[in-house]
Amino acid sequence: MAPEPSLLSMSGITKSFPGVRALDGVDLEVQAGEVHCLLGQNGAGKSTLIKVLAGAHQPDDGQITWRGEHITLKSPIAAMRLGIATIYQELDLVAHLSVAENVFLGHEPTTAGFVVRGRDARSATATLLKRLGHPEIDPARLVGELSAAQQQVVSMARALSHDVRLIVMDEPSAALDPDEVDNLFRIVGDLTAAGVAVVYISHRLEEIRRIGDRVTVLKDGRAVAGGLPAESTPTREIVALMTGRNVEYVFPPRPPAGTEYPPPVLTVEGLARDGEFAPLDLELRPGEIVGLAGLVGSGRSEILETVYGARRPSAGRVLVDGTPLRPGSVRSAVRAGLGLAPEERKAQALLMLESVTRNVTVSTLSRFARAGWLDRRAERAAARRATRELSLRPDNPDVPVRTLSGGNQQKAVLARWLLRGCRVLLLDEPTRGVDIGARAELYAVVRRLADEGLAVLLVSSEVPEVLGLADRVLVLREGLVVHTAPARELDEHRVLDLVMEGSPVPTQSVTEEGSATS
Amino acid sequence: MTQPATPAQQGGPDAGPSPAPAADAPADGAGPLRLLWARADARTLSLLGVLAVLVLIGGITKPDEFLDTRNLQLVLTLSSIIGVVTVGMTFVIMSGGIDLSVGAIVALSSVWASTVATQEFGFAGVLFTAVLVGVGCGLVNGVLIAYGGMVPFIATLAMLASARGLALHITGGKTQTVSIDGILRLGNRDAYVLGVPPLVLVFAAVTVIGWLVLNRTTFGRRTVAVGGNAEAARLAGIDVRRQRLYLYLLSGLCCGIAAFLLLALVGSGQNTNGNLYELDAIAAAIIGGTLLSGGRGTIVGSVLGVLIFTTISNIFALNNLQSDVQQIAKGAIIVAAVLVQRRTASTT
């Protein structure tokens, strides 16, 4: 591979959004005919990077070289013209148009420049679909009537309808059944054999082993490793790169082993959601921090949101002090003393236009009101007490919450539930978007709240965080609890082994890989 | 709307675990607060400025007629009816919704409250009917939107069509004269209180109550929360659906009150009453700084928006300009106001 100039080379790509540096000097180098895998946790910058490559985002800095020439990708059309096609995770198809119309959207074969030759488009589409191994899809059908897997094939046909040299696939297997995944891999194999390069994004390491040639790992907007051999790099090394060992975690001490907890405040009995997570049993005692560890897509956040009533369970129930909550009712959960600090703080928790006070008191408003009339002084004083208790900075409840740092915004959310007198705190990725320095402080706050009698259910994609903060850990894989143990009996390697080992089709995939490589 | 570095921010993005020197400084709190207040005030001031310019134009072009007490009383009276509707509309828009049916509800309320049968129950009967019909329409809107999952635009569009249709059905296209002296007297000069028409007093009362509800009650706070981030409000334990229901009830209530004021002013119920009120009310709220996507807005701004519109119409009428010119000017003003607001929003 080495002597040929690479097909694509991106160097020093930097992209900032208000408040976030999404990409911080990323390098990526792709050869013609290879499957180059892009790995990284949520928020590592993968999406931003492929959007830069697709011409959807303009980088602030950095250079892109395409077949030996410097280029700028001003728009998605510009990228398309060069032969870069992107298949996004959320498929960008028009449901009310036919398959052929979607495939040739924007570059329809025409007569006299504007009369669409529908028959030509349909026959060309049929050829493409046959090449992709799906001759059964009728080019005249509406895309909205197709299954997710078929839609993906259409999306790929659209990419191939251009003279394409590089295809970016963003988690293409996420919505597919195992045999559909096999077909996808066959297509990828055909493409690379024809000299097309594929940039493949997936969370599933075993897929990367099967079809990948090289791996680039992103972490916090940087490429921490580029061009590793996909087959021979040890899983642990890849995961260590993804999670990053450079962070010094400082965790508060936990209660001594053999601590007697009071009877459980929260009981989860057979709680399940079809297609998301299998029936789950869980007891949470006051003073205890229980962690859920698992990869993205293992059902962690879904479990938390279902316990909280934000999603309606398909089976099972949640009890607080032995009294069942109304299924699918957030209000019932909040009244019983549950509080959620959700994963997407800005979208799910905060009123970004409002002050800290108003964000903190939003769940407790009636306490400061007589017949609906607010005592604003009491409200502000209470918000101030709650935020001071968590040392929220700045110590001023009147500033707009959007001006706070990530860690302090999280404290504002915690203060909301503290003020409410909540007894069960559900934390979903509590340190996402929080500076390293502020994390230790947040950990200490959570531990202190637990010591004061709060029961905490913690979800995090950062294994060390779960192991360091929780007393007891449930390991999840594909919506199923595969292991439960006290945190001090686990280490990171053990958890990662549990989280990763065994794909849904382990034996089958191995044999196929063998036959494919032979 | 990022702030210029407030004293609070200068401690760095995250003051972190380092114990900031015991920041027990209430003086600190005044800084950003005053800043916020100043900004809120700036918008109000600019609206007042526009109004002042309009008054100046009116005073210059038609000095005798425009500044005449009777004319000013007329402007305020005309503002009252659409103003009451706009207060309700402001709440709905602030919650991220829209109510296209206000004009039709005013028509239906005014018609239902002015039938011969209703008028037999006298002053109270007419008032009660107007309010009840308004609230009833609001209830239908609210239930469809909050619990039926309908998009506000569609639900209230359907109400617009149906309520107008029902109003036509009730009147058969005829004008229903109000024959209750108590109501008619409200529009007469001899009922003015210190020169202020009673309709204007009602408008003022609705404005004050609206302001208090929005800024000083849990209801107002929840409205803003639902409009600012409905998902966050839901996850914070707010009953978002019930709040939405109440908001459309409130809008209906305002329409009922407006319908009664209209009966007092024109002395008759017609199925064409309140024509295009929905557009005037939405436009006034937007000019007043209410965000169409919800979460931000003020009652004062909306009321100023109403006054600006009514004043423009009055000046045009006094100068014998046709109503088509008026319409064009109104459209231009809406565009200009929104552009200016965008600008200030992006620069501050």
Side-chain angles (χ1 to χ4, degrees), chain A residues 308 310 330-331 346-351 354 358 362-363 365 369 372 374 376 379 388 393-396 402 405 408 438 441, chain B residues 1 3 8 13-17 20 23-24 28-29 32 212 216-218 221 224-225 229 232 234-239:
Chain A
Y308 191 59
V330 170
R331 285 174 56 72
K346 288 177 187 173
Q348 297 181 290
L350 295 172
L351 308 167
E354 303 293 321
R358 290 183 170 206
V362 70
S363 294
L365 276 182
L374 282 168
R376 293 192 306 155
E379 182 195 2
R388 275 207 175 144
R393 292 280 175 273
D395 181 23
N396 177 357
R402 66 171 183 279
S405 67
N408 284 304
E441 198 189 345
Chain B
M1 284 270 224
Q3 301 236 334
D14 197 327
D24 183 24
D28 248 22
L212 290 173
R216 292 285 185 271
T217 68
T218 56
R221 202 58 75 68
V224 177
N229 189 341
R234 184 177 80 99
L235 291 180
I238 289 178
D239 193 335

Side-chain angles (χ1 to χ4, degrees), chain B residues 172-184:
Chain B
K174 292 192 200 76
T175 300
Q176 299 176 158
T177 313
V178 176
S179 53
I180 297 165
D181 287 343
I183 297 176
L184 295 172

Side-chain angles (χ1 to χ4, degrees), chain A residues 44-62:
Chain A
K46 292 175 310 214
S47 306
T48 313
L49 184 64
I50 63 168
K51 280 185 177 155
V52 168
L53 186 50
H57 281 333
Q58 301 307 313
D60 303 332
D61 201 3

